[in-house]
Amino acid sequence: DGGHAMIFLGDLRISELREQLRLQLGVRSEFAGGFLCVENSETGAVVLVKKVGPGEVLLEGALSEEYFMVRDMLYDQFIVL
């Protein structure tokens, strides 16, 4: 077993995440098909974020610098237990 499941407390607002990515990291993103799409035009790396329910967030993408950057920003939105 790799450990325990993490529990996230708080409410994610995708629009606030988008704004924080822009302001704090200079990352551009767009809303498309219900996802927040973060794309690095230089590397082609794409990360998708979607709120799927109360306390549930879907994060998809290849493991890349962008993926971990978005993941860390997501973690900052919650209290992680």
Side-chain angles (χ1 to χ4, degrees):
D1 186 10
H4 67 282
M6 293 190 297
I7 298 172
F8 296 90
L9 301 177
D11 185 32
L12 173 67
R13 300 199 192 291
I14 296 288
S15 58
E16 289 179 14
L17 174 65
R18 180 181 185 214
E19 187 68 7
Q20 286 184 338
L21 287 166
R22 184 182 69 79
L23 292 174
Q24 294 179 16
L25 303 174
V27 174
R28 294 187 50 160
S29 57
E30 300 291 331
F31 288 106
F35 286 88
L36 178 63
C37 179
V38 181
E39 182 176 3
N40 183 328
S41 59
E42 293 178 14
T43 66
V46 175
V47 179
L48 301 173
V49 181
K50 182 175 185 175
K51 186 174 178 179
V52 293
E56 291 185 67
V57 177
L58 177 64
L59 178 63
E60 292 185 351
L63 299 181
S64 62
E65 181 179 342
E66 290 77 16
Y67 179 90
F68 292 108
M69 181 175 55
V70 172
R71 185 194 68 178
D72 290 346
M73 185 69 69
L74 270 172
Y75 285 178
D76 288 345
Q77 303 292 312
F78 294 97
I79 296 171
V80 182
L81 303 175

